């Protein structure tokens, strides 16, 4: 019986190792397994879309600094939060990139990681799982992390691959603005960087996006001046 128990334990280890290696391989080549906020695509043309997003929660932190430095620091703070630095001590065990070994309750990792300018600072967001609400989401222990409810919104998106920089965000936002102007939409937010892949994903296979919140432009009444 002990022998059978040992074999079962070895089998579990083999399965866990295989799952970890499989998850790593998937991440390297850009195969994604994490969930995203719920949305509906209302217009799609080549690398651009207009999406209607349902409301969702984010864990948010604000950092002074450039895009790269603030992104790294923001990711660390938010990862600490979903790893158990919260009022419920809910934890997630992660391998590369999002394989989980449940220990009690978990906060699942979702996508994308959002980053947006706020004056001289950057806001970095982790999207919370859809089953969490303002009354059930664990409270961050780090006071630099806050929970924010993002309302229902219409978002224009442009997708690209490769590495990400603040110059890329500005360039893609300009391209998106021209596309939206021709379709009678107005941008009502700062551009947001959305990254869907871990840093070891091959750059040509990464999914990056720039998001802006939009609204339809009202046609001017020619009888009014």
């Amino acid at each position: 019986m002990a022998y059978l128990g040992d074999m079962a334990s070895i089998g579990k280890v083999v399965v866990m190792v295989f799952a970890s290696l499989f998850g790593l391989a998937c991440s390297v080549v850009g195969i994604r397994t994490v969930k995203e906020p719920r949305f509906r695509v209302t217009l799609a043309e080549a690398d651009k879309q207009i999406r209607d997003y349902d409301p969702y929660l984010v864990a948010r932190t604000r950092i002074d600094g450039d895009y790269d430095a603030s992104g790294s620091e923001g990711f660390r703070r938010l990862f600490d939060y979903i790893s158990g630095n919260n009022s419920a001590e809910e934890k997630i065990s992660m391998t590369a990139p999002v394989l989980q070994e449940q220990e009690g309750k978990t906060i699942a990792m979702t996508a994308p990681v959002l980053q947006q300018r706020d004056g001289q600072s950057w806001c970095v967001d982790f999207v919370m799982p859809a089953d969490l609400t303002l009354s059930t989401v664990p409270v961050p222990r780090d006071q630099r992390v806050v929970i924010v409810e993002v309302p229902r919104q219409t978002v224009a998106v442009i997708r690209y691959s490769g590495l990400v920089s603040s110059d890329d965000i500005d360039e893609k936002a300009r391209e998106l603005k021209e596309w939206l102007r021709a379709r009678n939409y107005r941008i009502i937010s700062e551009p947001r960087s959305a990254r869907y892949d871990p840093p070891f994903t091959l750059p040509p296979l990464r999914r990056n996006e720039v998001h802006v919140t939009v609204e339809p432009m009202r046609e001017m009444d020619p009888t009014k001046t």
Side-chain angles (χ1 to χ4, degrees), residues 42 50-53 152-156 185 212-215:
T42 59
I50 293 179
R51 303 171 182 167
D52 286 338
Y53 275 87
R152 190 181 308 275
Q153 59 183 334
T154 300
V155 176
Y185 280 91
V212 290
T213 307
V214 298
E215 65 180 10

Side-chain angles (χ1 to χ4, degrees), residues 48-105:
K48 303 175 185 69
Q49 292 182 342
I50 293 179
R51 303 171 182 167
D52 286 338
Y53 275 87
D54 291 345
Y56 59 90
L57 297 180
V58 298
R60 173 173 297 169
T61 190
R62 181 179 286 106
I63 306 99
D64 294 328
D66 61 22
Y67 176 83
D68 290 333
S70 60
S72 297
E73 174 62 18
F75 190 96
R76 185 191 65 77
R77 290 182 194 173
L78 297 173
F79 185 79
D80 283 348
Y81 163 67
I82 69 167
S83 297
N85 188 20
N86 56 68
S87 59
E89 296 185 352
E90 296 187 349
K91 299 179 181 179
I92 177 171
S93 281
M94 298 186 66
T95 56
V98 195
L99 295 178
Q100 304 173 16
E101 178 182 352
Q102 190 170 10
E103 289 185 319
K105 299 179 180 179

Side-chain angles (χ1 to χ4, degrees), residues 32-213:
R32 300 163 195 91
T33 59
V34 292
K35 294 181 179 180
E36 302 178 30
R38 287 191 290 262
F39 64 83
R40 292 162 297 284
V41 177
T42 59
L43 177 63
E45 295 180 8
D47 57 351
K48 303 175 185 69
Q49 292 182 342
I50 293 179
R51 303 171 182 167
D52 286 338
Y53 275 87
D54 291 345
Y56 59 90
L57 297 180
V58 298
R60 173 173 297 169
T61 190
R62 181 179 286 106
I63 306 99
D64 294 328
D66 61 22
Y67 176 83
D68 290 333
S70 60
S72 297
E73 174 62 18
F75 190 96
R76 185 191 65 77
R77 290 182 194 173
L78 297 173
F79 185 79
D80 283 348
Y81 163 67
I82 69 167
S83 297
N85 188 20
N86 56 68
S87 59
E89 296 185 352
E90 296 187 349
K91 299 179 181 179
I92 177 171
S93 281
M94 298 186 66
T95 56
V98 195
L99 295 178
Q100 304 173 16
E101 178 182 352
Q102 190 170 10
E103 289 185 319
K105 299 179 180 179
T106 64
I107 302 175
M109 184 73 174
T110 57
V113 176
L114 297 166
Q115 191 167 347
Q116 176 177 328
R117 283 192 187 93
D118 182 17
Q120 298 300 313
S121 304
W122 288 87
C123 290
V124 184
D125 294 351
F126 275 12
V127 179
M128 296 289 96
D131 60 341
L132 292 177
T133 67
L134 282 175
S135 61
T136 62
V137 67
V139 177
R141 286 179 172 168
D142 187 337
Q143 295 183 352
R144 297 171 298 180
V145 177
V146 296
I147 303 299
V148 177
E149 185 172 29
V150 179
R152 190 181 308 275
Q153 59 183 334
T154 300
V155 176
V157 173
I158 182 170
R159 181 171 176 170
Y160 63 105
S161 60
L163 302 175
V164 181
S165 69
S166 58
D167 289 340
D168 295 325
I169 299 168
D170 292 339
E171 178 183 347
K172 294 299 179 182
R174 285 192 294 269
E175 184 178 344
L176 196 53
K177 184 177 182 179
E178 293 300 316
W179 183 78
L180 288 165
R181 182 181 292 118
R183 285 149 188 83
N184 209 37
Y185 280 91
R186 177 190 297 112
I187 295 175
I188 57 174
S189 76
E190 291 294 322
R192 302 182 289 276
S193 170
R195 291 171 291 160
Y196 290 79
D197 301 291
F200 44 77
T201 303
L202 298 174
L205 301 176
R206 294 182 187 179
R207 175 185 171 188
N208 308 314
E209 293 175 346
V210 170
H211 293 192
V212 290
T213 307

